[in-house]
Amino acid sequence: RQFRKRVLMLKLAPVEIQNFKDVYEDMLEQFPACEMKDYNTFINLFEQGQYKLLSVVDDNVRIGYLLLYESSVENVLWLDYIAVFRQYQSKGYGRMIFDSLINQFNTYKGIYLEVEKADESVINTIRRIKFYKSLGAKKLDINYFYPNKDGCIDLDLYFLPFCKAELPLKEVSFRVIKDVFNALHKELSHIDNVYCKITGQY
């Protein structure tokens, strides 16, 4: 009962673009350089409207943030980044954030998650996969690659359905990936090559 009360207190609030600088500085500390976009790229994405920066707030205290893309082709979300500020980590906020996300965006079919492959030598990869699976996320049968300025990174793609929605068909996921790549990574000259690598069109 106490847990349910805390979930209801958690809010996902839009952040003004001019306040993104503090979030970006935290991102530089928490995310690998190979997964980061430059500052101006983020600003351009926010101005397009479908890319959202949300602050995670618990009882008027900012404890983290989400960056997600609202895809118009299949009425789904794409999680680009999620983080809890270091001083609030390991306090059970991860599940609460996703409960709040599902509640606030319940008109969507679900959300795609880019996940590092399991590596027994890196315990956080194992923990992260177990966490996403515990939420109900399923690994998709797709040979996925995350595009970056140096080429691409071999990752797994998961889907967390909302409101008992079914997992998307492969061709549906390909359409979403194409939409996401065109929106979030269009500055990369090799983006079409990465997409072809994913769909097996080589």
Side-chain angles (χ1 to χ4, degrees), residues 24-31 86:
Y24 187 70
E25 290 177 356
D26 184 80
M27 293 174 70
L28 291 175
E29 293 183 4
Q30 295 212 52
F31 293 96
R86 294 191 186 279

Side-chain angles (χ1 to χ4, degrees), residues 109-140:
K109 296 177 182 178
I111 188 166
Y112 285 85
L113 312 166
E114 298 164 306
V115 182
E116 288 179 289
K117 289 184 177 294
D119 184 346
E120 295 293 342
S121 65
V122 184
I123 190 64
N124 279 341
T125 64
I126 308 298
R127 290 174 177 170
R128 197 171 293 119
I129 290 170
K130 287 183 178 179
F131 170 69
Y132 286 137
K133 286 183 175 180
S134 74
L135 295 174
K138 305 290 185 182
K139 179 182 172 182
L140 300 178

Side-chain angles (χ1 to χ4, degrees), residues 40-65:
N40 289 331
T41 297
F42 280 111
I43 297 301
N44 291 335
L45 288 172
F46 295 140
E47 291 175 347
Q48 293 175 14
Q50 288 174 275
Y51 193 67
K52 307 292 185 183
L53 169 61
L54 302 175
S55 182
V56 181
V57 182
D58 184 15
D59 198 20
N60 295 319
V61 177
R62 292 173 59 240
I63 60 95
Y65 51 87

